[in-house]
Amino acid sequence: MIPRSYLDGWADGKGMVDVADLAKGRSTTTAIINATVVSYAYRTEILSTDLEGQFAKVESAGISALRKLRRTDTLTQGEIRAAIAFLDMYRERGLYADQAKTQTPAVLLMQDRSLQEAELSLGDRMVLASYMNETVEFDQLGIETWPWSIWDCTNALTGDGALTLWREANSTAVTTITFPLSPTKILVIGRKLSRSVDINLVTVLKSRRWLIAQRGMFDEKKISLIAKNHNPGPLRWISLKEKGISLDLEVS
């Protein structure tokens, strides 16, 4: 459910990463080809949209731009648009990361005006949600004209909730977007953000099911404690550090 072309930024020389599954309360070391895999998660059962095909096109164009950002290379305008599309897709998929097997009852109005009971898959729901305009679209924010910068760091995590929108207190306007590019690079778009902000903590709190780290960073006690504070949806806003959890991020 997290693109493996993106996860390769966390892989060791053998293509291995640490994966925490918060739904199961456990972590494992696995190859990125097997990480966060849910078979047929985005297949539509009722609608005819090829959601997997759409995602594949966005991933293909976007990951090339993200890899240039990891190298701190300058992007063309076309590459910036591809990166924005990737970030938009990543955020959308993250919102449903803990709902891959959820079936939603529905009633279909057929062409002959008859009614038919059905169950919507996650893919069906995501296609329908795309027409409802309930979330902020990045192209509406105009972030291609915002400042883009890269933070150097060590031990950055990622997860299905790793893309974060920041607002000023008492405001609804998004001012900054952050996204881990690798364990050593964090993309910052928009206004400057204090480097003392614990991006790892925010990633853990916002992720609904999956966390990814470099091999050897997770341990079972740490993941078990995080999972115990995990409701359906994001984690409760608690201080994991007060519970003895160190998330190890260092930003320079």
Side-chain angles (χ1 to χ4, degrees):
M1 299 190 77
I2 299 177
R4 64 176 178 238
S5 57
Y6 164 71
L7 292 181
D8 67 5
W10 277 260
D12 64 12
K14 296 181 179 179
M16 307 292 285
V17 292
D18 275 3
V19 180
D21 184 343
L22 298 179
K24 297 180 179 179
R26 67 189 187 203
S27 64
T28 186
T29 300
T30 187
I32 57 172
I33 195 171
N34 298 320
T36 77
V37 171
V38 179
S39 298
Y40 310 114
Y42 302 120
R43 174 182 288 179
T44 55
E45 301 292 342
I46 305 300
L47 304 175
S48 58
T49 304
D50 180 11
L51 202 56
E52 288 276 13
Q54 292 181 4
F55 287 160
K57 291 179 181 178
V58 173
E59 286 179 30
S60 179
I63 197 61
S64 175
L66 262 61
R67 286 170 177 161
K68 286 188 69 173
L69 288 171
R70 286 173 181 166
R71 301 192 300 267
T72 64
D73 292 345
T74 302
L75 301 186
T76 66
Q77 284 301 307
E79 289 168 335
I80 290 174
R81 288 191 293 271
I84 291 172
F86 184 98
L87 298 180
D88 235 342
M89 176 200 68
Y90 194 100
R91 182 181 52 146
E92 177 188 14
R93 287 162 62 161
L95 293 173
Y96 298 93
D98 58 345
Q99 302 176 48
K101 299 300 183 182
T102 301
Q103 297 285 314
T104 305
V107 177
L108 308 181
L109 176 62
M110 311 305 288
Q111 288 185 333
D112 63 3
R113 313 303 293 177
S114 64
L115 301 179
Q116 179 178 320
E117 292 186 357
E119 288 192 334
L120 302 180
S121 68
L122 172 58
D124 293 316
R125 291 170 55 211
M126 292 179 73
V127 173
L128 291 173
S130 67
Y131 293 99
M132 297 176 70
N133 297 321
E134 292 184 343
T135 59
V136 177
E137 297 289 338
F138 289 165
D139 57 0
Q140 296 172 358
L141 295 176
I143 66 173
E144 68 275 6
T145 64
W146 291 9
W148 289 46
S149 59
I150 306 294
W151 283 0
D152 292 320
C153 64
T154 57
N155 298 324
L157 304 176
T158 192
D160 55 70
L163 192 143
T164 302
L165 277 60
W166 300 83
R167 299 173 173 84
E168 299 289 343
N170 303 316
S171 172
T172 60
V174 176
T175 59
T176 308
I177 296 168
T178 57
F179 186 61
L181 297 171
S182 73
T184 61
K185 304 289 181 185
I186 295 173
L187 173 64
V188 181
I189 305 173
R191 290 187 192 174
K192 291 182 179 179
L193 196 66
S194 170
R195 291 183 181 242
S196 64
V197 171
D198 193 334
I199 301 290
N200 273 0
L201 177 63
V202 176
T203 295
V204 171
L205 291 170
K206 289 180 66 267
S207 292
R208 294 172 178 265
R209 180 170 181 182
W210 306 103
L211 295 172
I212 306 293
Q214 288 177 293
R215 189 172 180 178
M217 188 169 174
F218 287 157
D219 63 68
E220 287 300 320
K221 288 184 179 179
K222 182 183 293 187
I223 298 306
S224 176
L225 185 54
I226 291 172
K228 285 178 181 178
N229 289 282
H230 184 262
N231 275 333
L235 285 161
R236 302 184 193 121
W237 283 88
I238 60 169
S239 174
L240 296 177
K241 289 184 177 179
E242 290 179 0
K243 293 180 175 290
I245 298 266
S246 173
L247 298 170
D248 304 322
L249 178 70
E250 296 180 10
V251 177
S252 58

PDB file of all heavy atoms in Angstrom, residues 197-210:
ATOM      1  N   VAL A 197      11.034  20.376  15.467  1.00  0.00           N
ATOM      2  CA  VAL A 197       9.811  19.584  15.341  1.00  0.00           C
ATOM      3  C   VAL A 197      10.180  18.118  15.129  1.00  0.00           C
ATOM      4  O   VAL A 197      11.028  17.799  14.292  1.00  0.00           O
ATOM      5  CB  VAL A 197       8.954  20.090  14.160  1.00  0.00           C
ATOM      6  CG1 VAL A 197       7.803  19.135  13.886  1.00  0.00           C
ATOM      7  CG2 VAL A 197       8.416  21.473  14.455  1.00  0.00           C
ATOM      8  N   ASP A 198       9.551  17.224  15.877  1.00  0.00           N
ATOM      9  CA  ASP A 198       9.867  15.796  15.787  1.00  0.00           C
ATOM     10  C   ASP A 198       9.032  15.162  14.679  1.00  0.00           C
ATOM     11  O   ASP A 198       7.914  14.691  14.902  1.00  0.00           O
ATOM     12  CB  ASP A 198       9.601  15.109  17.130  1.00  0.00           C
ATOM     13  CG  ASP A 198      10.203  13.714  17.196  1.00  0.00           C
ATOM     14  OD1 ASP A 198      10.384  13.097  16.132  1.00  0.00           O
ATOM     15  OD2 ASP A 198      10.485  13.237  18.312  1.00  0.00           O
ATOM     16  N   ILE A 199       9.572  15.162  13.462  1.00  0.00           N
ATOM     17  CA  ILE A 199       8.851  14.631  12.309  1.00  0.00           C
ATOM     18  C   ILE A 199       8.556  13.141  12.496  1.00  0.00           C
ATOM     19  O   ILE A 199       7.494  12.649  12.100  1.00  0.00           O
ATOM     20  CB  ILE A 199       9.659  14.849  11.010  1.00  0.00           C
ATOM     21  CG1 ILE A 199       9.927  16.342  10.791  1.00  0.00           C
ATOM     22  CG2 ILE A 199       8.922  14.257   9.813  1.00  0.00           C
ATOM     23  CD1 ILE A 199       8.731  17.162  10.432  1.00  0.00           C
ATOM     24  N   ASN A 200       9.473  12.402  13.115  1.00  0.00           N
ATOM     25  CA  ASN A 200       9.217  10.975  13.351  1.00  0.00           C
ATOM     26  C   ASN A 200       7.994  10.763  14.229  1.00  0.00           C
ATOM     27  O   ASN A 200       7.165   9.890  13.973  1.00  0.00           O
ATOM     28  CB  ASN A 200      10.433  10.315  14.014  1.00  0.00           C
ATOM     29  CG  ASN A 200      11.450   9.835  12.996  1.00  0.00           C
ATOM     30  OD1 ASN A 200      11.258   9.982  11.798  1.00  0.00           O
ATOM     31  ND2 ASN A 200      12.527   9.247  13.475  1.00  0.00           N
ATOM     32  N   LEU A 201       7.879  11.558  15.292  1.00  0.00           N
ATOM     33  CA  LEU A 201       6.731  11.434  16.183  1.00  0.00           C
ATOM     34  C   LEU A 201       5.438  11.704  15.429  1.00  0.00           C
ATOM     35  O   LEU A 201       4.459  10.967  15.563  1.00  0.00           O
ATOM     36  CB  LEU A 201       6.870  12.394  17.362  1.00  0.00           C
ATOM     37  CG  LEU A 201       5.692  12.422  18.337  1.00  0.00           C
ATOM     38  CD1 LEU A 201       5.512  11.067  19.002  1.00  0.00           C
ATOM     39  CD2 LEU A 201       5.885  13.522  19.385  1.00  0.00           C
ATOM     40  N   VAL A 202       5.445  12.747  14.607  1.00  0.00           N
ATOM     41  CA  VAL A 202       4.242  13.088  13.842  1.00  0.00           C
ATOM     42  C   VAL A 202       3.897  11.974  12.857  1.00  0.00           C
ATOM     43  O   VAL A 202       2.731  11.611  12.690  1.00  0.00           O
ATOM     44  CB  VAL A 202       4.432  14.437  13.118  1.00  0.00           C
ATOM     45  CG1 VAL A 202       3.224  14.755  12.242  1.00  0.00           C
ATOM     46  CG2 VAL A 202       4.636  15.552  14.132  1.00  0.00           C
ATOM     47  N   THR A 203       4.908  11.410  12.212  1.00  0.00           N
ATOM     48  CA  THR A 203       4.670  10.303  11.285  1.00  0.00           C
ATOM     49  C   THR A 203       4.027   9.118  11.997  1.00  0.00           C
ATOM     50  O   THR A 203       3.063   8.516  11.497  1.00  0.00           O
ATOM     51  CB  THR A 203       5.992   9.858  10.622  1.00  0.00           C
ATOM     52  OG1 THR A 203       6.485  10.916   9.802  1.00  0.00           O
ATOM     53  CG2 THR A 203       5.783   8.615   9.754  1.00  0.00           C
ATOM     54  N   VAL A 204       4.539   8.789  13.173  1.00  0.00           N
ATOM     55  CA  VAL A 204       3.970   7.674  13.941  1.00  0.00           C
ATOM     56  C   VAL A 204       2.534   7.973  14.349  1.00  0.00           C
ATOM     57  O   VAL A 204       1.641   7.128  14.231  1.00  0.00           O
ATOM     58  CB  VAL A 204       4.837   7.375  15.180  1.00  0.00           C
ATOM     59  CG1 VAL A 204       4.141   6.381  16.107  1.00  0.00           C
ATOM     60  CG2 VAL A 204       6.186   6.816  14.748  1.00  0.00           C
ATOM     61  N   LEU A 205       2.289   9.183  14.822  1.00  0.00           N
ATOM     62  CA  LEU A 205       0.952   9.536  15.288  1.00  0.00           C
ATOM     63  C   LEU A 205      -0.072   9.555  14.164  1.00  0.00           C
ATOM     64  O   LEU A 205      -1.241   9.229  14.367  1.00  0.00           O
ATOM     65  CB  LEU A 205       0.987  10.906  15.974  1.00  0.00           C
ATOM     66  CG  LEU A 205       1.734  10.968  17.312  1.00  0.00           C
ATOM     67  CD1 LEU A 205       1.898  12.401  17.770  1.00  0.00           C
ATOM     68  CD2 LEU A 205       0.986  10.157  18.366  1.00  0.00           C
ATOM     69  N   LYS A 206       0.354   9.936  12.955  1.00  0.00           N
ATOM     70  CA  LYS A 206      -0.588  10.059  11.844  1.00  0.00           C
ATOM     71  C   LYS A 206      -0.780   8.774  11.053  1.00  0.00           C
ATOM     72  O   LYS A 206      -1.765   8.634  10.330  1.00  0.00           O
ATOM     73  CB  LYS A 206      -0.121  11.161  10.879  1.00  0.00           C
ATOM     74  CG  LYS A 206      -0.259  12.581  11.434  1.00  0.00           C
ATOM     75  CD  LYS A 206       0.226  13.613  10.438  1.00  0.00           C
ATOM     76  CE  LYS A 206      -0.641  13.679   9.201  1.00  0.00           C
ATOM     77  NZ  LYS A 206      -0.213  12.860   8.086  1.00  0.00           N
ATOM     78  N   SER A 207       0.144   7.852  11.146  1.00  0.00           N
ATOM     79  CA  SER A 207       0.043   6.645  10.329  1.00  0.00           C
ATOM     80  C   SER A 207      -1.038   5.722  10.872  1.00  0.00           C
ATOM     81  O   SER A 207      -1.135   5.488  12.078  1.00  0.00           O
ATOM     82  CB  SER A 207       1.395   5.923  10.271  1.00  0.00           C
ATOM     83  OG  SER A 207       2.333   6.700   9.552  1.00  0.00           O
ATOM     84  N   ARG A 208      -1.821   5.166   9.966  1.00  0.00           N
ATOM     85  CA  ARG A 208      -2.964   4.352  10.352  1.00  0.00           C
ATOM     86  C   ARG A 208      -2.620   2.876  10.482  1.00  0.00           C
ATOM     87  O   ARG A 208      -3.230   2.172  11.263  1.00  0.00           O
ATOM     88  CB  ARG A 208      -4.091   4.543   9.330  1.00  0.00           C
ATOM     89  CG  ARG A 208      -4.647   5.958   9.340  1.00  0.00           C
ATOM     90  CD  ARG A 208      -5.619   6.215   8.215  1.00  0.00           C
ATOM     91  NE  ARG A 208      -6.152   7.562   8.308  1.00  0.00           N
ATOM     92  CZ  ARG A 208      -7.307   7.879   8.899  1.00  0.00           C
ATOM     93  NH1 ARG A 208      -8.046   6.930   9.446  1.00  0.00           N
ATOM     94  NH2 ARG A 208      -7.729   9.110   8.959  1.00  0.00           N
ATOM     95  N   ARG A 209      -1.658   2.404   9.704  1.00  0.00           N
ATOM     96  CA  ARG A 209      -1.301   0.990   9.807  1.00  0.00           C
ATOM     97  C   ARG A 209       0.191   0.724   9.681  1.00  0.00           C
ATOM     98  O   ARG A 209       0.754  -0.025  10.455  1.00  0.00           O
ATOM     99  CB  ARG A 209      -2.054   0.175   8.750  1.00  0.00           C
ATOM    100  CG  ARG A 209      -1.711  -1.309   8.829  1.00  0.00           C
ATOM    101  CD  ARG A 209      -2.573  -2.189   7.988  1.00  0.00           C
ATOM    102  NE  ARG A 209      -2.180  -3.602   8.145  1.00  0.00           N
ATOM    103  CZ  ARG A 209      -2.752  -4.617   7.496  1.00  0.00           C
ATOM    104  NH1 ARG A 209      -3.758  -4.394   6.678  1.00  0.00           N
ATOM    105  NH2 ARG A 209      -2.322  -5.844   7.707  1.00  0.00           N
ATOM    106  N   TRP A 210       0.858   1.357   8.707  1.00  0.00           N
ATOM    107  CA  TRP A 210       2.222   0.952   8.362  1.00  0.00           C
ATOM    108  C   TRP A 210       3.252   1.971   8.775  1.00  0.00           C
ATOM    109  O   TRP A 210       3.092   3.177   8.547  1.00  0.00           O
ATOM    110  CB  TRP A 210       2.342   0.743   6.846  1.00  0.00           C
ATOM    111  CG  TRP A 210       1.346  -0.184   6.250  1.00  0.00           C
ATOM    112  CD1 TRP A 210       0.229   0.157   5.522  1.00  0.00           C
ATOM    113  CD2 TRP A 210       1.348  -1.614   6.303  1.00  0.00           C
ATOM    114  NE1 TRP A 210      -0.436  -0.973   5.128  1.00  0.00           N
ATOM    115  CE2 TRP A 210       0.217  -2.070   5.600  1.00  0.00           C
ATOM    116  CE3 TRP A 210       2.206  -2.538   6.880  1.00  0.00           C
ATOM    117  CZ2 TRP A 210      -0.075  -3.417   5.447  1.00  0.00           C
ATOM    118  CZ3 TRP A 210       1.911  -3.894   6.748  1.00  0.00           C
ATOM    119  CH2 TRP A 210       0.788  -4.318   6.035  1.00  0.00           C
TER     120      TRP A 210
END
